[in-house]
Amino acid sequence: MAVFPWHSRNRNYKAELASCRLETVPLECGDYHPLKPITVTESKTKKVSRKGSTSSTSSSSSSSVVDPLSSVLDGTDPLSMFAATSDPAATVTVTESSRKKRDKDDNSFVGPDFEPWANKRGEILARYTTTEKLSINLFMGSEKGRAGAAASAMSEKVRTRLEELDDFEEGSQKELLNLTQQDYVNRIEELNQSLKDAWASDQKVKALKIVIQCSKLLSDTSVIQFYPSKFVLITDILDTFGKLVYERIYSMCVDSRGALPDHFSPENVNDTAKETCLNWFFKIASIRELIPRFYVEASILKCNKFLSKTGISECLPRLTCMIRGIGDPLVSVYARAYLCRVGMEVAPHLKESLTRNFFDFLLTFKQIHGDTVQNQLVAQGVELLSYLPLYSPAMGWIFQCVSYHAPEALLTEMMERCKKLGNNALLLNSVMSAFRAEFIATRSMDFIGMIKECDESGFPKHLLFRSLGVNLALADPPENDRLQILNEAWKVITKLKSPQDYINCAEVWVEYTCRHFTKREVNTVLADVIKHMTPDRAFEDSYPQLQSIIKKVIAHFHDFSVLFSVEKFLPFLDMFQKESVRVEVCKCIMEAFIKHQQEPTKDPVILNALLHICKTMHDSVNALTLEDEKRMLAHLINGFIKMVSFGRDFEQQLSFYVESRSMFCNLEPVLVQLIHSVNRLAMETRKVMKGNHSRKTAAFVRACVAYCFITIPSLVGIFTRLNLYLHSGQVALANQCLSQADAFFKAAISLVPEVPKSISIDGKLRPSEPFLLEFLCNFFSTLLIVPDHPEHGVLFLVRELLNVIQDYTWEDSSDDKIRIYTSVLHLLSAMSQDTYLYHIDKVDSNDSLYGGDSRFLAENSKLCEAAMVQILEHLKTLAKDEVGTTAGQGQSHKGKSKLELFFLGENSGLHQEAKQTT
């Protein structure tokens, strides 16, 4: 080995720091401040004439920033300029945005507190299903009269269209039988698409035929259980037809003056559009059957706006009276529901027709129990208990429309009229579902009295109590009545024999109990739920309701010491036998704890319960568990660990960490968190016991260090282990545990050869050398202040680390090896100083131990020589590789080796590092 007469220069760190500080210079800001708005002078040029060149320029100052693009274009959008120069006679189409804006203006009376029909649609389709076979009539079209379609005379065209309508009513359709429910839905969707296609191809008569055909289906109650879903599907087609007709007439109102304003009046509508609108109403009036005539006219009710200001207000009462001619009460109530829906969309301020529909329905309500309906139910084999719920969607919608923003007097009158009808359970349920929750809550005892008087044969009382409970979860009843309300409701609920009926009611009333009562009442309710759901493992069929109960309980009990003191809470959790559901419930509890627990806790009740819950989450991890799920579980468990504190009882805190390590050993992020927590505990002990270094304190710190030393090898990530060894060694060094610190550093050195060439980060393979370089640089910074062991010689840790670095296989094209040896030179240079740059309190570093001893400096020089040899060897290797011409290099680089480029200062900054070192 060559001998280098090398010695680092002496450094005065304090003087260097003072010389590097920025010079303080007084700044005269004046009016300038970097946060003040910039004043921009904008010049505007106004053209006097198209031919002349004279122009006037005006300047104005503004504190706002001017858009440079706007100034260039003189504030005019070039696309708008192009559109303005287009042919004014071109057809103007109604855009989708303008249509939505008009719809929003039409519904301005209806606020966001009004639940739209679209929200109910999916629930109805999912609830009202059937396994019976269905039938449907499909329009097949006709060739008759098509030859006259090309006639030029208007009278011939009208005659042809009337013949087509007559042809439709005479049987140009095909009946499909024995359809399943899904086939039926598919056929309806085909009709909807056929309607759109016919309209797009300007076959308006065919479109009208399809709508009439679909409307006729609403008079068919042969499969009565499916009627609500059929109503939803058919009215979707009617809605489509109504929008198409309205947009068609609206587009015809465009003339030389432009499109109609958003709030137009009939005076703004031209004669052509009015004539077309009247033509549509005349066509519909010629429909012979009542039900299709009613539905089709109701679907285009909004078109009355083109004809008269009072058109809608005049048509609504007439259509209401038309419904009186429908004999079937189920068909009648859904017709009223559709009229109320259309009325709320086009004229929500006209409440009279809504009220009229409600009172008309009450007059015909007794028909439900008449002979005609009863005979129909017998013929179809449907019980009254299954028949009455079919009315709920329609009645609920009618009641919702009538009660929206209704005065108290009207609501009271509606409730009194419902009282006068016998067997009014169905009405009462609709009232409680549609009326404002505040109105129901203030009259809770009145409704309980009405529920008691209801006949249970047609509509179960527990459903009425469930509807009442839903309202009481949204609004508070009078304080004096709260306990009596709970007692009256629970007397009925607890007697239910069906577990499904019971849990559906109990789920609602649990929230009422949590809102207004203490843990005693909540415990009683939970105990009753356990009693009803445990026999025959009934809980297995009701996991969603049981989960809902848990969520409601933890949403109202933010004090977890109170929550876990509820005797039946943990036994309630035991009903979640299915692992996936059980884990989800545990996650909900832990999320609530992390969110609401403000202060660290050492409550044994909380700790035991949450350790059990966290253990349940941990034990669910297996080989098939996704990484995202593991991270989520580890995050929740770590959140719990961070919130546990025993104050100055450090031994109890360490015992908790030991127990947690044994319980959560399969989640590496949790083990990492525990190691960091134990290191913080050791530092906290040092801080609190400062100046009192008793044997007990020293023993405790060594126990913390031992905990980390034992736990780190169980981790999988190699850089996680390296960094934790380094961090734990630093903690041990700060607590004067020198032999333990040496053990950590030796373990880290022995682990370096195991570093693979690449590591997986977020599912992608990345080269590991940059991470190793970062770790070693941090390690070098720590080794500066680590004192030598008296039995292992001078700089034994540095020598061992250099041996490992020398034996490590580095990438040939990488410069990381030379960067590391450059950092070694930095370290050895700092070690040769008389006083080191930094120290650890009460730890004597080598500058104090050796005091500039010549043998120490000689050993330091040998290591420097060894590092320089490695650097030169690497440079010789680089000299063998010639650098060819590349796209990013100039002609001057041609033929130069990488070594030459290094000395030219053009090789990734290595030249600067070597220059600083040497």
Side-chain angles (χ1 to χ4, degrees):
M1 179 182 293
V3 178
F4 294 87
W6 182 92
H7 188 278
S8 62
R9 63 185 175 88
N10 293 324
R11 306 284 293 275
N12 187 337
Y13 292 116
K14 292 183 179 180
E16 290 180 22
L17 178 63
S19 64
C20 292
R21 284 177 178 160
L22 296 177
E23 181 181 0
T24 303
V25 179
L27 177 63
E28 297 181 0
C29 295
D31 293 334
Y32 168 76
H33 190 276
L35 298 182
K36 283 187 66 176
I38 302 173
T39 301
V40 179
T41 302
E42 178 186 4
S43 298
K44 296 182 180 179
T45 303
K46 299 180 180 179
K47 296 183 179 180
V48 176
S49 64
R50 185 172 296 180
K51 296 181 179 179
S53 59
T54 308
S55 62
S56 60
T57 303
S58 61
S59 299
S60 60
S61 297
S62 173
S63 60
S64 61
V65 179
V66 179
D67 181 8
L69 297 179
S70 299
S71 61
V72 170
L73 297 173
D74 197 20
T76 305
D77 180 9
L79 296 180
S80 301
M81 294 172 62
F82 176 77
T85 59
S86 62
D87 183 9
T91 303
V92 180
T93 59
V94 181
T95 63
E96 183 70 14
S97 59
S98 64
R99 184 185 64 79
K100 291 181 178 180
K101 188 174 187 300
R102 293 198 310 273
D103 292 343
K104 183 177 179 181
D105 293 336
D106 292 337
N107 295 332
S108 59
F109 181 83
V110 180
D113 55 335
F114 184 83
E115 184 181 7
W117 175 258
N119 292 3
K120 303 177 182 293
R121 182 182 180 280
E123 180 184 352
I124 295 173
L125 291 175
R127 179 179 177 186
Y128 298 97
T129 59
T130 183
T131 57
E132 296 186 26
K133 297 301 181 180
L134 302 165
S135 63
I136 188 173
N137 292 327
L138 280 182
F139 170 64
M140 302 303 296
S142 174
E143 299 297 327
K144 187 171 80 171
R146 292 193 180 179
S152 57
M154 182 59 67
S155 59
E156 187 67 23
K157 185 176 181 181
V158 172
R159 185 182 302 110
T160 300
R161 291 191 173 183
L162 290 176
E163 289 176 356
E164 289 177 355
L165 284 174
D166 291 338
D167 177 56
F168 169 74
E169 296 197 356
E170 289 170 3
S172 60
Q173 45 192 325
K174 178 182 178 182
E175 186 176 14
L176 299 179
L177 304 174
N178 298 325
L179 297 177
T180 64
Q181 178 180 322
Q182 187 57 49
D183 291 337
Y184 189 92
V185 173
N186 293 339
R187 298 297 182 183
I188 295 295
E189 291 177 353
E190 288 177 10
L191 285 174
N192 199 355
Q193 186 59 43
S194 297
L195 168 65
K196 297 177 182 177
D197 294 341
W199 192 273
S201 59
D202 202 26
Q203 300 182 52
K204 305 297 189 296
V205 174
K206 180 179 179 181
L208 180 59
K209 289 179 181 181
I210 295 173
V211 175
I212 294 173
Q213 171 190 342
C214 293
S215 301
K216 282 187 175 183
L217 297 175
L218 292 176
S219 62
D220 177 23
T221 58
S222 57
V223 184
I224 204 164
Q225 301 97 324
F226 186 65
Y227 191 85
S229 293
K230 180 164 65 172
F231 171 80
V232 170
L233 296 172
I234 300 301
T235 52
D236 285 348
I237 297 179
L238 290 167
D239 293 340
T240 301
F241 178 72
K243 291 177 181 177
L244 291 173
V245 173
Y246 184 85
E247 295 299 335
R248 165 66 175 163
I249 299 173
Y250 187 87
S251 64
M252 297 177 67
C253 297
V254 177
D255 52 21
S256 58
R257 296 173 296 177
L260 287 177
D262 294 330
H263 300 282
F264 65 88
S265 62
E267 290 77 12
N268 303 123
V269 181
N270 57 44
D271 293 338
T272 304
K274 287 183 178 180
E275 182 180 355
T276 303
C277 186
L278 281 171
N279 188 31
W280 276 110
F281 281 108
F282 290 153
K283 289 177 183 177
I284 294 169
S286 66
I287 300 174
R288 297 168 185 171
E289 296 185 27
L290 172 62
I291 290 178
R293 185 168 71 249
F294 162 78
Y295 273 105
V296 178
E297 182 175 354
S299 68
I300 66 167
L301 179 65
K302 189 177 181 181
C303 294
N304 281 279
K305 295 173 61 176
F306 297 108
L307 301 176
S308 170
K309 291 183 178 179
T310 60
I312 294 177
S313 60
E314 292 171 355
C315 285
L316 281 174
R318 179 172 55 81
L319 291 172
T320 301
C321 294
M322 286 176 62
I323 300 175
R324 296 175 183 175
I326 301 176
D328 191 311
L330 184 64
V331 178
S332 172
V333 73
Y334 275 94
R336 297 189 188 280
Y338 185 70
L339 184 60
C340 290
R341 179 157 76 86
V342 174
M344 286 296 290
E345 290 175 359
V346 302
H349 58 284
L350 299 177
K351 305 287 288 186
E352 295 81 5
S353 64
L354 299 175
T355 308
R356 185 70 266 164
N357 271 286
F358 171 75
F359 289 131
D360 280 359
F361 165 72
L362 293 184
L363 292 174
T364 60
F365 183 71
K366 293 182 179 180
Q367 289 181 319
I368 295 176
H369 305 282
D371 294 338
T372 304
V373 174
Q374 296 300 320
N375 293 336
Q376 183 185 19
L377 296 181
V378 172
Q380 296 193 32
V382 178
E383 297 181 356
L384 186 63
L385 195 63
S386 301
Y387 174 69
L388 289 180
L390 300 177
Y391 286 80
S392 296
M395 291 175 56
W397 180 259
I398 295 172
F399 281 47
Q400 178 183 333
C401 295
V402 175
S403 62
Y404 184 67
H405 290 176
E408 291 282 326
L410 177 59
L411 298 178
T412 304
E413 181 186 357
M414 293 170 64
M415 191 175 73
E416 291 299 326
R417 290 216 185 180
C418 291
K419 280 184 181 180
K420 296 177 182 179
L421 295 174
N423 191 21
N424 59 353
L426 181 61
L427 287 174
L428 194 58
N429 187 68
S430 298
V431 167
M432 290 189 292
S433 300
F435 282 22
R436 294 192 301 270
E438 295 78 10
F439 179 87
I440 305 296
T442 55
R443 297 165 176 79
S444 299
M445 293 307 300
D446 294 338
F447 278 97
I448 288 178
M450 295 168 63
I451 293 173
K452 289 181 177 180
E453 296 174 0
C454 288
D455 182 8
E456 200 167 5
S457 61
F459 202 91
K461 287 185 179 180
H462 70 269
L463 294 181
L464 299 176
F465 274 107
R466 188 183 188 281
S467 298
L468 179 61
V470 170
N471 283 280
L472 296 181
L474 301 174
D476 298 334
E479 187 172 356
N480 296 333
D481 297 338
R482 292 174 183 175
L483 183 57
Q484 186 178 358
I485 291 171
L486 179 61
N487 290 333
E488 292 290 344
W490 211 258
K491 285 179 186 177
V492 176
I493 296 172
T494 194
K495 293 179 182 178
L496 294 174
K497 296 181 180 179
S498 169
Q500 198 62 40
D501 292 341
Y502 171 84
I503 196 63
N504 286 336
C505 290
E507 173 200 358
V508 172
W509 282 89
V510 162
E511 182 161 3
Y512 172 79
T513 309
C514 294
R515 280 169 63 96
H516 302 297
F517 299 98
T518 63
K519 68 175 186 178
R520 176 176 170 271
E521 288 78 11
V522 173
N523 187 68
T524 302
V525 171
L526 294 181
D528 195 61
V529 174
I530 295 172
K531 176 183 175 182
H532 280 79
M533 302 306 295
T534 302
D536 300 326
R537 301 179 67 86
F539 53 78
E540 292 182 344
D541 299 324
S542 305
Y543 282 139
Q545 293 89 336
L546 296 175
Q547 282 182 270
S548 176
I549 290 176
I550 285 291
K551 291 178 181 178
K552 290 172 181 177
V553 171
I554 62 179
H556 289 88
F557 285 84
H558 297 166
D559 188 344
F560 279 77
S561 61
V562 176
L563 176 64
F564 291 125
S565 65
V566 176
E567 182 182 354
K568 296 297 181 180
F569 183 78
L570 292 179
F572 190 92
L573 293 181
D574 292 336
M575 287 195 294
F576 295 98
Q577 298 292 321
K578 188 176 180 181
E579 185 181 59
S580 59
V581 180
R582 188 181 183 89
V583 171
E584 286 300 319
V585 171
C586 292
K587 286 164 65 176
C588 289
I589 296 173
M590 293 309 304
E591 287 171 356
F593 176 79
I594 294 173
K595 179 179 180 181
H596 298 296
Q597 186 71 23
Q598 301 295 329
E599 299 293 334
T601 182
K602 61 177 181 179
D603 189 327
V605 176
I606 296 179
L607 297 187
N608 291 332
L610 292 184
L611 278 173
H612 171 72
I613 291 171
C614 290
K615 185 69 165 62
T616 300
M617 295 193 300
H618 169 271
D619 292 346
S620 68
V621 176
N622 54 44
L624 300 178
T625 305
L626 299 176
E627 290 299 322
D628 288 344
E629 179 69 10
K630 289 181 181 179
R631 279 194 290 269
M632 171 60 72
L633 296 178
H635 169 73
L636 295 174
I637 296 174
N638 286 341
F640 162 62
I641 292 173
K642 293 176 183 178
M643 294 305 296
V644 177
S645 175
F646 290 88
R648 294 197 176 189
D649 191 348
F650 300 128
E651 293 183 358
Q652 186 66 30
Q653 188 81 34
L654 183 60
S655 298
F656 170 77
Y657 292 145
V658 171
E659 183 180 4
S660 299
R661 180 180 61 186
S662 64
M663 296 177 71
F664 311 127
C665 57
N666 290 333
L667 291 174
E668 183 164 314
V670 177
L671 296 179
V672 173
Q673 175 62 42
L674 288 170
I675 294 172
H676 285 305
S677 298
V678 171
N679 280 328
R680 281 194 298 269
L681 180 63
M683 295 303 296
E684 184 69 18
T685 304
R686 174 176 177 268
K687 180 181 178 181
V688 172
M689 306 301 293
K690 189 174 183 180
N692 183 19
H693 298 287
S694 64
R695 292 182 178 179
K696 185 177 180 180
T697 303
F700 176 78
V701 172
R702 285 196 295 271
C704 293
V705 172
Y707 178 101
C708 298
F709 193 79
I710 294 171
T711 308
I712 292 174
S714 63
L715 303 178
V716 177
I718 189 165
F719 281 102
T720 303
R721 282 181 282 162
L722 284 172
N723 289 314
L724 285 175
Y725 274 133
L726 178 58
H727 181 219
S728 300
Q730 293 168 345
V731 172
L733 195 63
N735 284 278
Q736 297 92 49
C737 299
L738 302 183
S739 59
Q740 286 83 357
D742 287 345
F744 280 114
F745 297 143
K746 287 180 180 178
I749 293 172
S750 65
L751 197 60
V752 170
E754 299 179 17
V755 175
K757 295 300 179 184
S758 59
I759 57 175
S760 177
I761 299 178
D762 295 332
K764 297 180 180 180
L765 287 178
R766 304 285 179 85
S768 61
E769 286 192 4
F771 299 96
L772 181 59
L773 174 62
E774 180 183 3
F775 166 75
L776 291 175
C777 290
N778 291 334
F779 199 1
F780 294 150
S781 300
T782 301
L783 290 178
L784 174 64
I785 53 176
V786 177
D788 285 341
H789 195 283
E791 297 179 359
H792 294 99
V794 178
L795 300 178
F796 74 101
L797 288 176
V798 178
R799 282 188 278 107
E800 288 186 11
L801 184 56
L802 286 176
N803 291 335
V804 169
I805 295 173
Q806 183 176 359
D807 295 337
Y808 187 81
T809 304
W810 301 90
E811 291 289 339
D812 294 335
S813 60
S814 172
D815 296 326
D816 289 331
K817 181 177 180 180
I818 197 171
R819 292 178 186 276
I820 289 174
Y821 278 111
T822 304
S823 297
V824 171
L825 292 179
H826 293 164
L827 169 64
L828 296 173
S829 174
M831 282 183 166
S832 66
Q833 303 300 316
D834 294 335
T835 302
Y836 290 171
L837 181 60
Y838 47 86
H839 296 84
I840 290 182
D841 187 30
K842 297 182 181 178
V843 174
D844 293 330
S845 300
N846 287 336
D847 58 342
S848 300
L849 294 178
Y850 294 107
D853 185 80
S854 58
R855 287 174 298 179
F856 172 77
L857 295 177
E859 186 66 25
N860 185 291
S861 296
K862 290 180 181 180
L863 294 177
C864 289
E865 292 169 7
M868 289 297 295
V869 167
Q870 291 295 328
I871 293 174
L872 293 177
E873 287 293 331
H874 185 72
L875 294 177
K876 289 178 181 179
T877 303
L878 295 179
K880 298 177 182 179
D881 301 328
E882 295 297 327
V883 180
T885 304
T886 62
Q889 294 176 328
Q891 294 295 327
S892 60
H893 290 179
K894 285 185 178 181
K896 293 182 180 179
S897 67
K898 199 171 184 180
L899 177 63
E900 291 175 303
L901 293 176
F902 171 78
F903 284 112
L904 287 173
E906 299 167 346
N907 190 44
S908 305
L910 295 178
H911 175 72
Q912 293 297 327
E913 293 187 10
K915 182 178 179 181
Q916 292 176 2
T917 303
T918 57

